[in-house]
Amino acid sequence: MVQGAGGREGLDEQAVLLVAGVADLAMSTLGSALGTVRGLLRRSDVADLAADAEQDLMARGRIALDRYTTVPPAHLEILARHALARQALGDV
């Protein structure tokens, strides 16, 4: 992208283009999602699909929470556990 002489004008133009690109992506994604939903509503096993989707979403939520909320043990704690395990085996 070629920037104009004014730095502010170039940044404004970039911001507008980025917002327009995100809006276009959101609209196209929304349009395809609505088409998919319409197709799913025509199916006879909608209740089963909804139950499966609920289970999948709950599983994904559980994985996401585990990923971001589980705190790994401290480095020194790991070293202490290894030292205790070696002592228990007699490898001191």
Side-chain angles (χ1 to χ4, degrees):
M1 174 183 277
V2 178
Q3 289 186 351
R8 176 77 178 153
E9 292 173 4
L11 290 177
D12 288 344
E13 182 181 353
Q14 285 181 344
V16 169
L17 291 174
L18 284 172
V19 168
V22 168
D24 183 55
L25 178 63
M27 291 303 294
S28 65
T29 302
L30 182 64
S32 64
L34 286 175
T36 302
V37 168
R38 278 191 218 116
L40 289 175
L41 290 177
R42 292 185 190 119
R43 295 179 59 139
S44 61
D45 58 347
V46 173
D48 293 336
L49 286 174
D52 289 344
E54 180 182 9
Q55 289 177 351
D56 288 347
L57 285 174
M58 289 177 63
R60 288 180 69 97
R62 188 173 298 116
I63 290 170
L65 285 177
D66 288 346
R67 183 181 314 132
Y68 295 113
T69 59
T70 303
V71 178
H75 180 69
L76 291 177
E77 179 69 25
I78 294 172
L79 291 176
R81 289 180 187 175
H82 284 291
L84 288 174
R86 289 179 64 191
Q87 282 179 354
L89 293 174
D91 290 343
V92 180

